[in-house]
Amino acid sequence: MPIGVYAYDGFWYMPAFDLVHDEIRLFRTDRILSLENTRTTHDVPINLSDWLDSRTKQTPKTPIRLYVELTREGVRQCRSQPWLEPHVVLVNQEHGYIDTEIDESELPFVSSYFLQLGTAAKVIEPQEFVETIRRQSQNLLLHYA
């Protein structure tokens, strides 16, 4: 049972209540091969707005502190990401920071995201993220050697 459709980072997504598994699952609409109208109605336990809000307020299972210093461009980029926007703190017109907790399992995604920001962001904590970004940067350099 679809909850709604929304766009994020160039893709369209559809959270839907999976009746078989009794949970909400997220689907990318361009990857859906077929849909079937079952002609049955069910009360979906949540609407799209509340579901999106709940995603940004989830408590990490294995929390680790994420502290990132941001330039003006870094602030702009991070404010455009729904998962980061609530955590961006503007110090002045020239820089800001992020100080929050994320789940440790997000290491690959988060480190790749901050690597893409280049010098607009500098991860300070956790050290594991810093080391991952260093390795990714070295691999990129070797790729172009």
Side-chain angles (χ1 to χ4, degrees), residues 19 25 127:
L19 298 170
R25 295 193 174 188
Q127 188 61 35

Side-chain angles (χ1 to χ4, degrees), residues 8-60:
Y8 172 70
D9 203 22
F11 296 102
W12 286 89
Y13 295 90
M14 180 183 70
F17 188 77
D18 183 332
L19 298 170
V20 174
H21 295 96
D22 195 34
E23 67 182 13
I24 296 173
R25 295 193 174 188
L26 185 61
F27 301 91
R28 249 184 55 189
T29 59
D30 62 317
R31 293 187 177 168
I32 296 173
L33 300 176
S34 65
L35 294 172
E36 179 182 332
N37 186 344
T38 61
R39 305 241 188 261
T40 59
T41 59
H42 297 275
D43 288 330
V44 179
I46 193 168
N47 63 42
L48 181 60
S49 179
D50 290 343
W51 181 82
L52 288 169
D53 284 344
S54 73
R55 300 271 297 179
T56 60
K57 296 175 185 169
Q58 288 180 342
T59 304

Side-chain angles (χ1 to χ4, degrees), residues 56-72:
T56 60
K57 296 175 185 169
Q58 288 180 342
T59 304
K61 293 177 186 166
T62 310
I64 54 174
R65 181 180 184 216
L66 174 66
Y67 186 82
V68 183
E69 294 175 349
L70 303 169
T71 65
R72 180 184 210 161

